[in-house]
Amino acid sequence: MMGKDGSMMKAWEATVKKTQAVAKRRANSIFGTAHGGHGDEEDNRDETEVYMAERVLPNGDYYKGEWADNFPHGKGKYLWTDGCIYVGEWFKGKTMGKGRFTWPTGPCYEGEFKSGYMDGIGSYSAANGDTYKGQWVMNLKHGHGEKVYSNGDKYEGEWRRGLQDGQGKYAWKDEKYYIGEWRNGSIWGKGSFVWSNGNRYDGYWEDGLPKGSGTFKWSDGSFYVGNWSKDPRDQSGTYYPFDGSSEGHLDWDPQQVYNELSEHQISPGEKVSILPSQKRLAVWRSTKGGGGGGDGSTTKPRRMSVDARVSVGLEKPSDRMHLWGSDGEGTNTNNSNSHSNNGSGTPIKDDNDLLSLHIQSSNPKQTLKAPKKSKRQGETICKGHKNYELMLNLQLGIRHSVGRPAPSASFDLKPSAFDSKEKVWTRFPPEGSKYTPPHPSSEFKWKDYCPVVFRTLRRLFKVDAADYMLSICGNDALRELSSPGKSGSFFYLTNDDRYMIKTMKKAEAKALLRMLPAYYNHFRAFDNALVTKFYGLHCVKLNGPSQKKVRFIIMGNLFCSEYTIHRRYDLKGSSLGRITTKPESEITETTILKDLDLSFIFRLQKSWFQEFCRQIDRDCELLEQEGIMDYSLLVGIHFKDISPEGDLIPSTSHTPPGDSESEGTPRISRADMDQLLLDPSKWESIKLGVNMPARVERTVRKLSDCELQLVGEPIGEYYEVVLFFGVIDILQDYDISKKLEHAYKSIQYDPTSISAVDPRQYSRRFRDFIFKVFSQDS
């Protein structure tokens, strides 16, 4: 009896498990399955019915291998009509795992794939004979790898976004080699070049040539030490013969090194004509359960065009076909906000209601509009303007400072360069002097603070001295912004919008000079630092009874871009007074909105979001250690899609989180991403906080206990955008005035809602808030 009961129990358990598996698959097909990569794939495969299939697809493509739910799933081979072939592992229609992709022209990649991209460890053989073996991220060499060129050259080291970047060794076929630092595919930084005869150069490089301090050593032991430059006028150094010999290489010219190096170029990489992630699968699905492609189904399948539109008729969302790699352009209707009601509280009764909702989802009850276009910011400072003479003084001083010849210093600056007493006063009489030109203004004095540090910072920020001078001191006048900032400082913009000049209080100048060593080292350590970039600190001392001093700081303009900035936000993470008082009709593209005006969550692609979080932590740690508070994140948004009437158009390519067919796919459009990947140099225009393709999700605040939420609830409405952001106002000490402000406001308001709090608390609150309004685009 027990045996019989045991058998019945096992049969019952087996039936329950089978029923649960079927129910789970059905739920997944309706609502999507969330998975985070390979970790969940095996479980999903176990629950999916996989069988061998051979398909000749309607466009002529051919597939043979494992198949499930109308997709390649498991191991299989896919042949495109253009001759491209993939053999390897698949996961729900995407190349995922190990495989081999070959091009009809001969190139071949063999290694790991992820979400359609070459991603992981793999080797690539180019048509010209070049080979690469190493790490990949999203079709680009990224990480450690070794490349052997067809001409016999070889590079082994670090790569970033398809180019040599970091530490690496490049060996030419004639046995000469370089070992050291690289940047963006060029020798840049500290490194050594060794000739086959034993001679070598050890020192600093810039754009593939020696620049800065360095030593050239001969194989016989003699050497030359000095400052190196391609321009002979900037070249200086001393020759030291071996064992005091008076002969040696006295007739040697350092320019010979540049002549020899010009014959040793870095071999260019091959550009791939089409990337694996651009290859679409012509997969189609019938309405009545037909497997598609010769399975006996009598229902005629409907084809999907390349841009994911249905070619004939209108189908229900349940019949929506899938296009591999389309990044959701097939408009999946499983929106998490659409399952239960149609936006008015009415339950959705059938597929027709769901289709109606889907069509109307781009027209919510309150359509967002782009702010009104504004005139160009600022008033041009012409003759007769109250600050015209001050502008002339500033331009004369900058031209003198930047144009003054100085040796190209190493990035390793001496402590004396940061001394606050390290300043240079220059007198500018109207008639001119030995060092200054005549000018129409009254006599004034000009002071440069820590000139060597700021000159080196400009080099670090890759600012060309001539362009810098032309922007500030060219024929075009500066523009004064209409009103001073909250601190009472005045702001000026250069005519090309690249630089912003701000008048400073003495306390702010002291704060900058105090933190300058840490600030400089921070930018040396982190290329993607988001804190404001400072290019120079100066002072104009006007003659006369008052002897008035005006201090200036020159900064980069975060919003200098070819894109129109439609919305600007200044975000601190506090709520008291953090709302714009202007009526909606007066808000323009240049209006600075605040925390309680924010109605979006910023969604960044995974790798960018991770770098963003790391960099915000680093920047806040710097500011906290330096006792700085009251800073904010300035964010600019350019909306890609705006109707002629000025309405912001929501994205139609959103696939909700949890749809297993889009997990791990970057959330910028697939076409934009592939265009970037085809030409790695285009990545240079995209940096953390600059020109970043992203999406924003609309939010709605709820009133709770007579207070608005600081961060609203997301409603599933997305917009394709380009983002700009950076940490600004980083010169406010938590001094006695801020401590008194904190004490006074704490009596009247919630202490956590006010801006003036100690640096440690400010940093923690700022980060908590920023990491709520920025998130990973999953």
Side-chain angles (χ1 to χ4, degrees):
M1 185 68 180
M2 288 294 293
K4 186 177 180 181
D5 289 344
S7 298
M8 290 178 64
M9 182 60 71
K10 287 181 181 178
W12 178 79
E13 287 176 351
T15 303
V16 168
K17 286 182 180 178
K18 186 175 181 181
T19 304
Q20 288 175 338
V22 172
K24 190 169 185 177
R25 284 202 304 272
R26 184 174 299 166
N28 290 346
S29 68
I30 298 173
F31 300 111
T33 306
H35 67 85
H38 291 287
D40 297 329
E41 290 171 20
E42 294 302 324
D43 294 339
N44 287 331
R45 285 177 180 176
D46 290 342
E47 296 164 6
T48 305
E49 184 183 353
V50 180
Y51 57 94
M52 294 298 296
E54 186 172 356
R55 298 279 187 265
V56 177
L57 300 167
N59 69 339
D61 292 354
Y62 171 83
Y63 175 80
K64 182 177 182 180
E66 294 178 292
W67 188 272
D69 290 340
N70 280 306
F71 288 109
H73 187 73
K75 293 183 178 180
K77 178 178 182 180
Y78 196 103
L79 282 73
W80 285 268
T81 53
D82 63 2
C84 291
I85 302 172
Y86 173 80
V87 180
E89 297 178 345
W90 298 81
F91 181 75
K92 294 195 173 179
K94 292 182 181 178
T95 53
M96 184 86 78
K98 292 184 178 180
R100 184 176 73 252
F101 189 97
T102 56
W103 285 259
T105 52
C108 174
Y109 170 85
E110 186 166 3
E112 296 176 329
F113 286 80
K114 185 176 181 182
S115 297
Y117 291 93
M118 301 181 289
D119 198 304
I121 304 295
S123 58
Y124 174 80
S125 300
N128 63 2
D130 292 354
T131 60
Y132 170 85
K133 186 175 183 179
Q135 294 176 298
W136 298 75
V137 173
M138 294 175 65
N139 293 339
L140 291 176
K141 305 173 189 72
H142 193 95
H144 188 83
E146 177 183 304
K147 183 167 184 177
V148 179
Y149 298 86
S150 56
N151 64 0
D153 294 354
K154 178 182 176 182
Y155 172 83
E156 182 175 5
E158 299 301 312
W159 298 76
R160 189 177 183 188
R161 292 175 179 166
L163 298 170
Q164 298 95 331
D165 199 302
Q167 288 287 334
K169 178 181 178 180
Y170 191 101
W172 284 264
K173 61 182 177 181
D174 59 5
E175 298 184 355
K176 298 182 179 73
Y177 67 88
Y178 168 84
I179 184 167
E181 297 178 352
W182 295 73
R183 185 188 298 176
N184 290 331
S186 178
I187 296 173
W188 200 305
K190 193 173 184 179
S192 302
F193 188 97
V194 181
W195 280 258
S196 52
N197 61 6
N199 296 347
R200 64 184 294 148
Y201 168 83
D202 301 286
Y204 287 90
W205 298 71
E206 193 171 292
D207 199 20
L209 295 172
K211 183 70 179 291
S213 60
T215 303
F216 185 88
K217 297 178 183 177
W218 284 267
S219 56
D220 63 9
S222 52
F223 60 95
Y224 171 91
V225 180
N227 184 72
W228 293 72
S229 174
K230 191 176 181 181
D231 187 345
R233 294 173 295 179
D234 297 332
Q235 181 85 251
S236 61
T238 306
Y239 169 69
Y240 296 91
F242 180 65
D243 285 344
S245 171
S246 58
E247 299 297 328
H249 309 276
L250 293 177
D251 59 344
W252 176 80
D253 184 353
Q255 294 302 309
Q256 292 180 27
V257 172
Y258 291 90
N259 296 334
E260 293 177 21
L261 290 175
S262 65
E263 301 173 1
H264 290 76
Q265 300 295 320
I266 307 302
S267 295
E270 182 197 40
K271 286 191 176 182
V272 182
S273 58
I274 189 167
L275 298 164
S277 56
Q278 292 177 302
K279 300 302 296 178
R280 307 301 197 240
L281 267 68
V283 177
W284 44 266
R285 170 178 295 177
S286 68
T287 305
K288 297 183 179 181
D295 61 353
S297 171
T298 56
T299 303
K300 184 179 179 181
R302 277 167 285 197
R303 287 293 315 282
M304 182 71 80
S305 66
V306 174
D307 60 357
R309 292 175 296 183
V310 181
S311 58
V312 180
L314 180 65
E315 59 183 358
K316 296 180 181 180
S318 56
D319 298 336
R320 187 70 66 190
M321 294 176 287
H322 299 264
L323 186 68
W324 176 72
S326 66
D327 206 19
E329 291 171 5
T331 320
N332 190 304
T333 57
N334 295 332
N335 190 306
S336 57
N337 295 306
S338 306
H339 292 315
S340 59
N341 60 67
N342 60 10
S344 60
T346 306
I348 296 171
K349 297 179 181 179
D350 55 28
D351 284 345
N352 290 325
D353 286 337
L354 187 62
L355 178 62
S356 174
L357 171 69
H358 171 73
I359 293 171
Q360 297 172 5
S361 64
S362 60
N363 297 299
K365 292 181 180 177
Q366 187 175 0
T367 303
L368 291 181
K369 287 189 172 290
K372 291 191 301 182
K373 292 188 178 297
S374 59
K375 295 180 181 177
R376 196 177 188 197
Q377 278 186 290
E379 174 191 359
T380 301
I381 303 176
C382 302
K383 197 166 185 177
H385 191 284
K386 62 179 181 178
N387 288 325
Y388 179 71
E389 193 165 301
L390 187 62
M391 180 192 75
L392 292 182
N393 296 346
L394 171 67
Q395 291 179 324
L396 283 166
I398 293 290
R399 192 179 290 116
H400 171 76
S401 300
V402 179
R404 188 168 55 232
S408 180
S410 162
F411 285 115
D412 296 319
L413 298 181
K414 297 177 180 178
S416 59
F418 296 94
D419 189 343
S420 59
K421 297 177 183 176
E422 186 74 13
K423 52 197 173 191
V424 180
W425 278 103
T426 305
R427 179 172 160 267
F428 280 78
E431 66 276 10
S433 69
K434 183 179 178 181
Y435 302 104
T436 63
H439 60 87
S441 180
S442 302
E443 181 174 325
F444 68 94
K445 285 185 177 180
W446 174 265
K447 177 166 52 174
D448 286 320
Y449 293 89
C450 300
V452 174
V453 178
F454 284 104
R455 187 185 304 120
T456 312
L457 276 172
R458 292 195 293 270
R459 283 178 54 214
L460 197 63
F461 299 150
K462 301 179 183 176
V463 173
D464 181 78
D467 291 342
Y468 181 71
M469 221 183 329
L470 194 62
S471 289
I472 302 173
C473 314
N475 295 327
D476 297 312
L478 302 178
R479 306 197 313 277
E480 183 180 74
L481 298 191
S482 56
S483 60
K486 188 178 178 182
S487 63
S489 299
F490 282 86
F491 292 87
Y492 305 91
L493 276 171
T494 57
N495 189 61
D496 59 6
D497 289 332
R498 290 176 65 184
Y499 301 103
M500 183 175 285
I501 302 166
K502 174 190 174 187
T503 61
M504 300 180 75
K505 293 180 179 179
K506 186 176 182 180
E508 290 179 310
K510 281 187 172 181
L512 176 56
L513 291 171
R514 188 198 71 238
M515 68 182 287
L516 193 55
Y519 175 89
Y520 177 80
N521 290 327
H522 188 72
F523 270 101
R524 281 205 68 187
F526 307 115
D527 290 343
N528 286 331
L530 294 171
V531 291
T532 307
K533 289 182 177 177
F534 295 129
Y535 300 102
L537 178 60
H538 314 283
C539 178
V540 170
K541 185 177 181 181
L542 305 174
N543 274 0
S546 64
Q547 293 284 297
K548 181 182 177 183
K549 290 182 180 178
V550 182
R551 296 173 183 83
F552 296 94
I553 186 73
I554 301 177
M555 309 175 289
N557 178 15
L558 185 64
F559 295 152
C560 178
S561 169
E562 61 185 10
Y563 292 104
T564 301
I565 307 299
H566 296 118
R567 288 182 187 263
R568 304 168 188 230
Y569 291 94
D570 182 278
L571 306 174
K572 293 188 176 185
S574 56
S575 57
L576 183 62
R578 301 296 296 162
I579 193 166
T580 305
T581 55
K582 284 186 177 181
E584 185 70 29
S585 59
E586 294 181 18
I587 292 177
T588 67
E589 292 172 341
T590 57
T591 302
I592 304 294
L593 304 171
K594 299 179 183 178
D595 300 63
L596 292 176
D597 300 307
L598 183 64
S599 56
F600 300 105
I601 287 177
F602 306 101
R603 303 211 179 271
L604 305 180
Q605 189 268 333
K606 181 179 178 181
S607 60
W608 279 326
F609 176 70
Q610 290 173 344
E611 178 60 24
F612 171 77
C613 292
R614 285 193 293 265
Q615 196 56 55
I616 286 289
D617 281 335
R618 294 163 183 160
D619 292 343
C620 287
E621 284 167 10
L622 166 74
L623 299 175
E624 183 181 330
Q625 289 167 9
E626 296 300 317
I628 302 296
M629 45 77 66
D630 214 25
Y631 46 88
S632 53
L633 187 74
L634 185 65
V635 182
I637 310 176
H638 166 81
F639 290 92
K640 289 186 176 181
D641 300 313
I642 301 179
S643 72
E645 294 75 29
D647 296 336
L648 301 183
I649 303 173
S651 167
T652 57
S653 62
H654 171 52
T655 305
D659 185 347
S660 62
E661 292 171 11
S662 64
E663 284 294 323
T665 305
R667 285 305 171 192
I668 66 176
S669 73
R670 177 71 65 144
D672 287 348
M673 177 60 74
D674 285 332
Q675 196 60 40
L676 287 170
L677 297 180
L678 279 171
D679 186 0
S681 64
K682 291 190 177 182
W683 281 102
E684 294 179 12
S685 66
I686 300 177
K687 297 173 65 177
L688 188 67
V690 179
N691 288 334
M692 289 191 65
R695 294 193 308 161
V696 294
E697 182 178 5
R698 189 175 174 184
T699 61
V700 174
R701 283 188 176 82
K702 296 178 181 177
L703 194 63
S704 175
D705 297 328
C706 298
E707 289 185 2
L708 279 175
Q709 291 175 305
L710 190 57
V711 181
E713 300 290 338
I715 62 172
E717 185 174 298
Y718 292 79
Y719 299 85
E720 298 288 338
V721 298
V722 178
L723 291 183
F724 300 79
F725 50 79
V727 179
I728 64 168
D729 295 338
I730 63 169
L731 299 178
Q732 178 58 63
D733 275 318
Y734 191 55
D735 54 16
I736 186 64
S737 65
K738 287 295 179 181
K739 291 176 182 177
L740 290 173
E741 180 185 342
H742 175 79
Y744 174 73
K745 289 185 176 179
S746 295
I747 298 171
Q748 299 175 291
Y749 308 103
D750 177 3
T752 62
S753 70
I754 61 180
S755 179
V757 294
D758 74 83
R760 186 176 180 183
Q761 184 183 345
Y762 191 95
S763 171
R764 184 168 58 249
R765 184 183 67 189
F766 177 79
R767 280 188 266 191
D768 287 345
F769 174 71
I770 294 302
F771 293 152
K772 287 178 182 175
V773 296
F774 279 78
S775 70
Q776 181 177 317
D777 198 359
S778 58

